Amino acid sequence: MIDKKVFESHDEKAWCPGCGNHGILEALKQALAELGKEPHEVVIASGIGQAAKTPHYINVNGFNGLHGRAIPPAVGAKIANKELTVIINSGDGDSYGEGGNHLLHNIRRNVDITHFVHDNQIYGLTKGQASPTTAQGQTTSIQTGGVVVNPLNPLAFAISLGCTFVARSFAGDKDHLVPIMKAAIQHKGYALVDILQPCVVFNKVNTYQWYKERVYHLDEGYDVTNKMAAFQKSYEWNEGIPMGIIYQEEKETYIDRVATLRDGSPLVNRTLDPKKAERFLEDFR
């Protein structure tokens, strides 16, 4: 086990006191330490938003890009160096809204990266705009008459598309979150973890107390390979919210399917020889 302190960053955090992002960040450091990961072995990518500031607050390689564009650089990093542990930390708006198209197609590709969605059911950075997971009818600082559209169910969405690892945890339950993070990072393939994360300023409905009255742990007898059971669990919400690995299966990753990537050393370590391209130039002479 690595000393968790190696992941400490000296950057001042801009998150509000009590924000669920703090708990997720501490759980992530602990998970990486318990997995024995060194900082240079890890890349964390994000888009835009409060959760997307995570790469600034942890001592690993980081990429903070455009809104909703966390997945493309994460995929690129993994393909360039398949030995890296590549993790995305971004919010529900960034991941399920602006980044929805990238999410959909990475599930199809099954690139071996881990995606932690800090799901606070609101856009915190834009001061309370409804996100794709805000409940219909919920009033916000922008939707003062209540949200009129249906919320996205991210777990059912991912399961229906064939995602190979789908899980849910809670920022207020570190003892549950750390092992879920470790399992997701160790999973071979694309892993999506929806982390319920209270926004103490802009979401006055889904508070720590609200979640604590509803979340429950899946029992040891739950079969994570049963897709129909997973669909049923993904639709449990108001009366009880299941936490744990909802669905998991083994499937070839994108790199497994591409011989050039699968066989041999990581692309980043290979010698670049421009002369090998000369045979392609013959077609233009």
Side-chain angles (χ1 to χ4, degrees):
M1 177 175 171
I2 301 294
D3 188 341
K4 180 183 165 187
K5 291 181 181 177
V6 302
F7 298 107
E8 296 296 335
S9 163
H10 299 295
D11 286 7
E12 182 179 358
K13 298 180 183 64
W15 293 329
C16 302
C19 172
N21 285 329
H22 293 285
I24 297 173
L25 177 63
E26 291 307 308
L28 177 58
K29 292 175 186 175
Q30 184 173 332
L32 291 172
E34 292 184 9
L35 288 173
K37 299 291 183 183
E38 299 277 3
H40 72 275
E41 298 174 324
V42 180
V43 175
I44 293 184
S46 69
I48 295 295
Q50 293 292 358
K53 296 174 182 174
T54 302
H56 300 268
Y57 305 147
I58 183 168
N59 179 36
V60 298
N61 302 292
F63 186 96
N64 190 194
L66 300 174
H67 211 346
R69 303 297 181 262
I71 290 179
V75 167
K78 187 67 182 182
I79 288 175
N81 188 352
K82 59 186 178 183
E83 294 182 351
L84 285 173
T85 295
V86 181
I87 300 170
I88 296 169
N89 272 258
S90 224
D92 44 308
D94 194 63
S95 298
Y96 302 144
E98 286 84 354
N101 187 50
H102 296 299
L103 173 66
L104 184 164
H105 291 292
N106 195 56
I107 290 174
R108 292 177 52 235
R109 296 185 191 101
N110 197 31
V111 177
D112 186 14
I113 59 179
T114 306
H115 193 161
F116 296 132
V117 180
H118 302 214
D119 188 355
N120 59 12
Q121 299 165 261
I122 208 78
Y123 279 94
L125 196 66
T126 51
K127 308 297 184 282
Q129 175 187 359
S131 84
T133 54
T134 308
Q136 185 184 23
Q138 184 169 325
T139 58
T140 74
S141 57
I142 307 297
Q143 286 81 15
T144 55
V147 177
V148 298
V149 297
N150 294 321
L152 174 76
N153 182 329
L155 302 188
F157 170 83
I159 295 166
S160 68
L161 289 172
C163 189
T164 55
F165 185 103
V166 181
R168 172 169 273 156
S169 192
F170 174 41
D173 187 351
K174 187 178 173 183
D175 290 342
H176 183 268
L177 180 55
V178 170
I180 289 293
M181 283 183 158
K182 290 168 61 179
I185 293 169
Q186 291 177 306
H187 174 74
K188 188 179 178 184
Y190 175 65
L192 177 70
V193 183
D194 188 70
I195 306 172
L196 304 174
Q197 177 242 316
C199 175
V200 295
V201 175
F202 295 109
N203 187 340
K204 301 298 185 184
V205 175
N206 309 110
T207 62
Y208 283 98
Q209 186 62 36
W210 190 92
Y211 284 122
K212 288 179 179 177
E213 290 173 353
R214 292 166 175 78
V215 295
Y216 72 91
H217 297 181
L218 291 171
D219 61 43
E220 294 182 355
Y222 176 75
D223 180 4
V224 299
T225 66
N226 186 331
K227 186 169 282 191
M228 293 310 297
F231 270 118
Q232 290 180 333
K233 289 298 176 187
S234 73
Y235 280 96
E236 289 185 20
W237 185 252
N238 283 317
E239 302 304 319
I241 303 174
M243 295 204 308
I245 300 173
I246 306 294
Y247 183 72
Q248 185 173 14
E249 69 170 303
E250 294 182 8
K251 190 185 291 184
E252 280 189 320
T253 69
Y254 180 78
I255 290 177
D256 290 333
R257 295 167 181 163
V258 181
T260 304
L261 302 174
R262 181 191 64 227
D263 302 330
S265 60
L267 291 182
V268 71
N269 293 337
R270 298 182 193 181
T271 301
L272 180 62
D273 183 2
K275 290 185 178 179
K276 291 184 177 178
E278 285 185 351
R279 63 188 176 94
F280 298 109
L281 296 177
E282 291 300 323
D283 293 340
F284 300 96
R285 289 173 179 159

